[in-house]
């Protein structure tokens, strides 16, 4: 009492696996769609009972296989391609399970599926992730099929189409083409493979945009490449990534991160220098939407690039900002980076005048470095000290102010005061966002502005 479900491959006898040939030679009963018998007939034993049924009788074939097996005969149910891919294995196993034929032995033998045979004929289209979709809606509702089509298109899978078209099903393939064009380039390679491995075999390579569903019939398999698939001679190649490996050094990882961010903000309506500063900020925070909180005066980053590369002094409100500025940059251009927060006289001033240490440190720095670039990443009181003195001290000629304090007390107010200054270049992060790491990222963006040309 045994049923073997076996795939005969795509058609050519050379594609029938030896294990399947052996099963056919031992079968007492062979059951299948009548068209398929021609591909395995040379292996049938003379007294084998051959039971053929037309398309649409899959359930009847499975029922007959169970009936013959219960008579003690060895039954082989045949199908084209692989027995478990859109073939008879599923219905045979399902019916045996539902009818609870516990003593019935089941076996599935593999075959070369049409998409694998087509893939070999095309060279290397299946080099990366792929999927297969049947367009037959006889047993699967079209809305389910369309959901799978959208998922395959969005997921960038190389996609092989089974049952792409028949006399009664003629519009579905055109609908799939429209859905794929919403996600894929019209230049995406597409192959139409008819009667693969059979004498009538014919292969046409076209593109998704030029693809004509009228070129397809019920004996065709359609294969759509992914975004990396390309045509080479009469082959299709989908790279696995061996020649484009993932970045692994620190520099490569940083460059790939910048590429991801800049692709996200490429169409942002801002100047190149601002987009580079935003790139460095997002690279630091990991939040792709941080660009919407960035605000600046025109050309601030460009002006600071020249200032810093000429050795300009940087003053920070806290040591965390000082630590975040890349030392290789400041060493290259001989910049002095100053933070007076922990100076004894600044601490004494804070106590005596009842102000914060950050505010006292900035007050001292403004006397010593009236032409520096001031960078505030933590303390709103430090930013307020700067804006207040800019209003009252005409001797201050600051190179600019980066105002990105973070928190909930006086933060928004301090940034609003900075935003109303029309005399110096400034950059701020609106709202409660910011921080020492963001402040340092903006300085590093000014140091490296020339790198923006690689991405924008």
């Amino acid at each position: 009492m045994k049923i073997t479900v076996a795939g005969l491959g795509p058609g050519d006898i050379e594609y029938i696996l030896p294990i399947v040939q052996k099963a056919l030679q031992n079968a007492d009963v062979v059951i299948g769609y009548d068209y398929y018998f021609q591909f395995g007939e040379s292996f049938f034993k003379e007294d084998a009972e051959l039971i053929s049924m037309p398309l649409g009788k899959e359930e009847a074939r499975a029922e007959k296989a169970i009936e013959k097996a219960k008579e003690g005969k060895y039954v082989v149910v045949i199908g084209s391609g692989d027995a478990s891919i859109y073939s008879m294995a599923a219905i045979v196993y399902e019916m045996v399970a539902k009818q609870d034929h516990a003593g019935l032995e089941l076996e599935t033998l593999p075959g070369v599926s049409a998409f694998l045979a087509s893939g070999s004929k095309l060279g290397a289209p299946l080099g990366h992730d792929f999927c297969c979709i049947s367009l037959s809606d006889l047993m699967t509702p079209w809305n389910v099929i369309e959901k799978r089509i959208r998922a395959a298109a969005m997921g960038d899978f190389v996609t092989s189409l089974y049952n792409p078209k028949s006399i009664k099903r003629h519009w579905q393939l055109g609908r799939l083409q429209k859905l794929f064009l919403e996600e894929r380039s019209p230049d995406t390679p597409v192959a139409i493979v008819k009667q693969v491995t059979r004498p009538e075999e014919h292969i046409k390579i076209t593109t998704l945009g030029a693809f004509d569903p009228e070129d397809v019939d019920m004996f065709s398999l359609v294969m759509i490449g992914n975004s990396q698939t390309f045509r080479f001679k009469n082959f299709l190649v989908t790279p696995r990534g061996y020649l484009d490996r993932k970045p692994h050094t620190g520099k490569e990882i940083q460059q790939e991160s910048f590429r991801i961010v800049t692709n996200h903000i490429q169409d942002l309506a801002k100047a190149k220098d601002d987009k580079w500063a935003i790139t460095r900020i997002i690279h630091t925070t990991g939040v792709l939407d941080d660009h919407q909180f960035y605000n600046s005066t025109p050309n601030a980053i460009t002006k600071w690039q020249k200032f810093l590369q000429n050795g300009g002094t940087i003053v920070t409100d806290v040591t965390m900002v000082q630590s975040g500025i890349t030392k290789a940059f400041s060493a290259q251009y001989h910049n002095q980076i100053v933070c007076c927060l922990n100076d004894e006289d600044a601490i004494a001033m804070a106590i005596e005048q009842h102000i914060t240490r950050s505010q006292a440190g900035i007050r001292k720095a403004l006397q010593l470095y009236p032409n520096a670039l001031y960078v505030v990443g933590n303390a709103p009181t430090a930013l307020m000290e700067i804006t207040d003195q800019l209003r009252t001290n005409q001797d201050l000629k600051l190179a600019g102010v980066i105002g990105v304090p973070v928190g909930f007390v006086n933060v928004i107010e301090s940034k609003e005061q900075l935003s109303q200054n029309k005399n110096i270049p400034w950059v701020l992060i609106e709202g409660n966002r910011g921080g020492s790491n963001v402040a340092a990222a903006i300085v590093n963006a000014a140091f490296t502005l020339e790198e923006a040309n690689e991405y924008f």
Side-chain angles (χ1 to χ4, degrees), residues 370-414:
N371 307 115
L373 171 63
Y374 279 73
V375 186
V376 179
N378 180 267
T381 55
L383 184 56
M384 286 179 168
E385 181 68 28
I386 295 170
T387 56
D388 285 346
Q389 292 217 27
L390 283 171
R391 288 177 61 86
T392 59
N393 187 347
Q394 300 301 315
D395 294 331
L396 289 178
K397 305 294 182 183
L398 304 188
V401 177
I402 295 173
V404 292
V406 63
F408 298 94
V409 179
N410 292 325
V411 169
I412 294 175
E413 295 90 331
S414 67

Coordinates of all heavy atoms in Angstrom, one line a residue, residues 370-414:
P370 N 36.3 86.3 21.6 CA 35.2 87.0 21.0 C 34.9 86.7 19.6 O 33.9 87.2 19.0 CB 35.5 88.5 21.3 CG 37.0 88.5 21.3 CD 37.4 87.2 21.9
N371 N 35.8 85.9 19.0 CA 35.7 85.6 17.5 C 35.5 84.1 17.2 O 35.6 83.7 16.1 CB 36.9 86.1 16.8 CG 37.2 87.6 17.0 OD1 38.2 87.9 17.6 ND2 36.3 88.5 16.6
A372 N 35.3 83.3 18.3 CA 35.2 81.9 18.1 C 33.9 81.4 17.6 O 32.9 82.2 17.5 CB 35.5 81.2 19.4
L373 N 33.8 80.1 17.2 CA 32.6 79.4 16.9 C 32.1 78.8 18.2 O 32.8 78.0 18.8 CB 32.8 78.3 15.9 CG 31.7 77.4 15.6 CD1 30.4 78.1 15.1 CD2 32.1 76.2 14.7
Y374 N 30.9 79.2 18.7 CA 30.4 78.7 19.9 C 29.4 77.6 19.7 O 28.5 77.6 18.8 CB 29.7 79.8 20.7 CG 30.7 80.7 21.4 CD1 31.6 81.6 20.7 CD2 30.9 80.6 22.8 CE1 32.5 82.3 21.4 CE2 31.8 81.4 23.5 CZ 32.7 82.2 22.7 OH 33.6 82.9 23.4
V375 N 29.6 76.5 20.4 CA 28.8 75.2 20.2 C 28.2 74.8 21.5 O 28.9 74.5 22.5 CB 29.8 74.1 19.7 CG1 28.9 72.9 19.3 CG2 30.6 74.6 18.5
V376 N 26.9 74.9 21.6 CA 26.1 74.6 22.8 C 25.3 73.3 22.5 O 24.4 73.3 21.7 CB 25.2 75.7 23.2 CG1 24.3 75.4 24.4 CG2 26.0 77.0 23.4
G377 N 25.6 72.3 23.3 CA 24.9 71.0 23.0 C 24.1 70.5 24.3 O 23.5 69.4 24.2
N378 N 24.2 71.3 25.4 CA 23.6 70.7 26.6 C 22.8 71.8 27.4 O 21.7 71.5 27.7 CB 24.7 70.2 27.5 CG 24.2 69.6 28.8 OD1 24.1 70.3 29.8 ND2 23.8 68.3 28.8
A379 N 23.4 72.9 27.6 CA 22.8 73.9 28.5 C 22.1 75.1 27.9 O 22.8 75.9 27.2 CB 23.9 74.4 29.5
P380 N 20.8 75.2 28.0 CA 20.1 76.4 27.5 C 20.5 77.7 28.1 O 20.5 78.7 27.4 CB 18.6 76.1 27.8 CG 18.6 75.0 28.8 CD 19.9 74.2 28.7
T381 N 21.0 77.6 29.4 CA 21.5 78.9 30.0 C 22.7 79.4 29.3 O 22.9 80.6 29.2 CB 21.7 78.6 31.5 OG1 22.7 77.5 31.6 CG2 20.5 78.3 32.2
A382 N 23.5 78.4 28.8 CA 24.7 78.9 28.1 C 24.4 79.5 26.8 O 24.9 80.6 26.4 CB 25.6 77.6 27.8
L383 N 23.3 79.0 26.1 CA 22.9 79.6 24.8 C 22.3 81.0 25.1 O 22.5 81.9 24.3 CB 21.9 78.7 24.1 CG 21.4 79.2 22.7 CD1 22.6 79.4 21.8 CD2 20.5 78.1 22.1
M384 N 21.5 81.1 26.2 CA 20.9 82.4 26.5 C 22.0 83.4 26.8 O 21.8 84.6 26.5 CB 20.0 82.2 27.7 CG 18.7 81.5 27.4 SD 17.6 81.4 28.8 CE 16.0 80.9 28.0
E385 N 23.0 83.0 27.5 CA 24.2 83.9 27.8 C 24.7 84.5 26.5 O 25.0 85.7 26.4 CB 25.2 83.2 28.6 CG 26.4 84.0 29.0 CD 26.1 85.1 30.0 OE1 25.1 84.9 30.8 OE2 26.8 86.2 30.0
I386 N 24.9 83.6 25.5 CA 25.5 84.0 24.2 C 24.5 85.0 23.6 O 25.0 86.1 23.1 CB 25.7 82.8 23.3 CG1 26.8 81.9 23.9 CG2 26.1 83.3 21.9 CD1 26.9 80.6 23.2
T387 N 23.2 84.7 23.5 CA 22.3 85.6 22.8 C 22.1 86.9 23.5 O 22.0 88.0 22.8 CB 20.9 84.9 22.6 OG1 20.4 84.5 23.9 CG2 21.1 83.7 21.7
D388 N 22.2 86.9 24.8 CA 22.0 88.1 25.6 C 23.2 89.0 25.3 O 23.1 90.3 25.1 CB 22.0 87.8 27.1 CG 20.6 87.3 27.5 OD1 19.6 87.4 26.7 OD2 20.5 86.7 28.6
Q389 N 24.4 88.5 25.3 CA 25.6 89.3 25.1 C 25.8 89.8 23.7 O 26.3 90.9 23.4 CB 26.9 88.5 25.5 CG 27.0 88.2 27.0 CD 28.4 88.3 27.6 OE1 29.2 89.0 27.0 NE2 28.6 87.6 28.7
L390 N 25.3 89.0 22.7 CA 25.3 89.4 21.3 C 24.4 90.7 21.2 O 24.7 91.6 20.3 CB 24.8 88.3 20.4 CG 25.8 87.2 20.1 CD1 25.1 86.1 19.4 CD2 27.0 87.8 19.3
R391 N 23.4 90.8 22.0 CA 22.5 92.0 21.9 C 23.1 93.2 22.5 O 22.8 94.4 22.2 CB 21.2 91.7 22.6 CG 20.3 90.7 21.8 CD 19.0 90.4 22.6 NE 18.2 91.6 22.8 CZ 17.3 92.1 21.9 NH1 17.2 91.5 20.8 NH2 16.7 93.2 22.2
T392 N 24.0 93.0 23.5 CA 24.5 94.2 24.3 C 26.0 94.5 24.1 O 26.4 95.6 24.4 CB 24.3 93.9 25.8 OG1 25.0 92.7 26.2 CG2 22.8 93.8 26.1
N393 N 26.8 93.5 23.6 CA 28.2 93.7 23.5 C 28.6 93.8 22.0 O 28.6 92.8 21.3 CB 28.9 92.5 24.1 CG 30.4 92.7 24.2 OD1 31.0 93.6 23.5 ND2 31.1 91.9 25.0
Q394 N 28.9 95.0 21.5 CA 29.2 95.2 20.1 C 30.6 94.7 19.7 O 30.9 94.6 18.5 CB 29.1 96.7 19.8 CG 27.7 97.3 20.0 CD 26.6 96.6 19.2 OE1 26.8 96.4 18.0 NE2 25.5 96.3 19.9
D395 N 31.4 94.4 20.7 CA 32.7 93.9 20.4 C 32.7 92.4 20.0 O 33.8 91.9 19.5 CB 33.6 94.1 21.6 CG 33.9 95.5 21.9 OD1 33.9 96.4 21.0 OD2 34.1 95.9 23.1
L396 N 31.7 91.7 20.3 CA 31.6 90.3 19.9 C 31.4 90.1 18.4 O 30.4 90.7 17.8 CB 30.5 89.6 20.7 CG 30.6 89.4 22.2 CD1 29.4 88.8 22.8 CD2 31.9 88.6 22.5
K397 N 32.3 89.4 17.8 CA 32.2 89.2 16.3 C 32.3 87.6 16.1 O 33.2 87.1 15.5 CB 33.3 89.9 15.6 CG 33.4 91.4 15.8 CD 32.1 92.1 15.2 CE 32.3 93.6 15.4 NZ 31.1 94.3 14.9
L398 N 31.3 86.9 16.7 CA 31.4 85.5 16.7 C 31.4 84.9 15.3 O 30.7 85.4 14.4 CB 30.3 84.9 17.5 CG 30.1 85.3 19.0 CD1 29.0 84.5 19.7 CD2 31.4 85.3 19.7
A399 N 32.1 83.8 15.1 CA 32.1 83.1 13.8 C 30.7 82.5 13.6 O 30.3 82.2 12.5 CB 33.2 82.1 13.8
G400 N 30.0 82.2 14.7 CA 28.7 81.7 14.6 C 28.4 80.9 15.9 O 29.2 80.8 16.8
V401 N 27.1 80.4 15.9 CA 26.6 79.7 17.1 C 25.9 78.4 16.6 O 25.0 78.5 15.7 CB 25.7 80.5 18.0 CG1 25.2 79.7 19.1 CG2 26.4 81.8 18.4
I402 N 26.3 77.3 17.2 CA 25.5 76.1 17.0 C 24.7 75.9 18.3 O 25.3 75.7 19.4 CB 26.4 74.9 16.8 CG1 27.2 75.0 15.5 CG2 25.6 73.6 16.8 CD1 28.2 74.0 15.2
G403 N 23.4 76.0 18.2 CA 22.5 76.0 19.4 C 21.6 74.8 19.4 O 20.5 74.9 18.9
V404 N 22.1 73.7 20.1 CA 21.3 72.5 20.1 C 21.2 71.9 21.5 O 21.3 70.7 21.7 CB 21.8 71.4 19.1 CG1 21.6 71.9 17.7 CG2 23.3 71.1 19.4
P405 N 20.9 72.8 22.5 CA 20.7 72.2 23.9 C 19.5 71.3 23.9 O 18.6 71.5 23.1 CB 20.5 73.5 24.7 CG 20.0 74.5 23.8 CD 20.6 74.3 22.5
V406 N 19.5 70.4 24.8 CA 18.5 69.4 24.9 C 17.8 69.4 26.2 O 18.4 69.7 27.2 CB 19.0 67.9 24.6 CG1 20.0 67.6 25.7 CG2 17.9 66.9 24.5
G407 N 16.5 69.2 26.3 CA 15.8 69.1 27.5 C 14.4 69.8 27.5 O 13.8 70.0 26.4
F408 N 13.9 70.2 28.6 CA 12.6 70.7 28.7 C 12.4 72.0 29.4 O 11.3 72.6 29.4 CB 11.7 69.7 29.5 CG 11.6 68.3 28.8 CD1 12.5 67.3 29.1 CD2 10.7 68.1 27.7 CE1 12.4 66.1 28.4 CE2 10.6 66.9 27.1 CZ 11.5 65.9 27.4
V409 N 13.5 72.5 30.0 CA 13.4 73.8 30.7 C 14.3 74.8 30.0 O 15.5 74.6 29.8 CB 13.9 73.7 32.2 CG1 13.9 75.0 32.9 CG2 13.1 72.6 32.9
N410 N 13.7 75.9 29.5 CA 14.3 77.0 28.8 C 15.0 76.6 27.5 O 15.6 77.4 26.9 CB 15.4 77.6 29.7 CG 14.8 78.3 30.9 OD1 13.8 78.9 30.8 ND2 15.5 78.3 32.1
V411 N 14.7 75.4 27.1 CA 15.4 74.9 25.8 C 14.8 75.6 24.6 O 15.5 76.2 23.8 CB 15.3 73.4 25.7 CG1 15.7 73.0 24.3 CG2 16.1 72.7 26.7
I412 N 13.5 75.6 24.5 CA 12.8 76.2 23.3 C 13.0 77.7 23.3 O 13.2 78.3 22.3 CB 11.3 75.8 23.3 CG1 11.2 74.3 23.1 CG2 10.5 76.6 22.3 CD1 9.7 73.8 23.2
E413 N 12.9 78.3 24.5 CA 13.1 79.7 24.6 C 14.5 80.2 24.2 O 14.6 81.2 23.4 CB 12.9 80.2 26.1 CG 11.5 80.0 26.6 CD 11.3 78.6 27.2 OE1 11.9 77.6 26.8 OE2 10.4 78.5 28.1
S414 N 15.5 79.4 24.6 CA 16.9 79.8 24.2 C 17.1 79.7 22.7 O 17.8 80.5 22.1 CB 17.9 78.9 24.9 OG 17.8 77.5 24.5

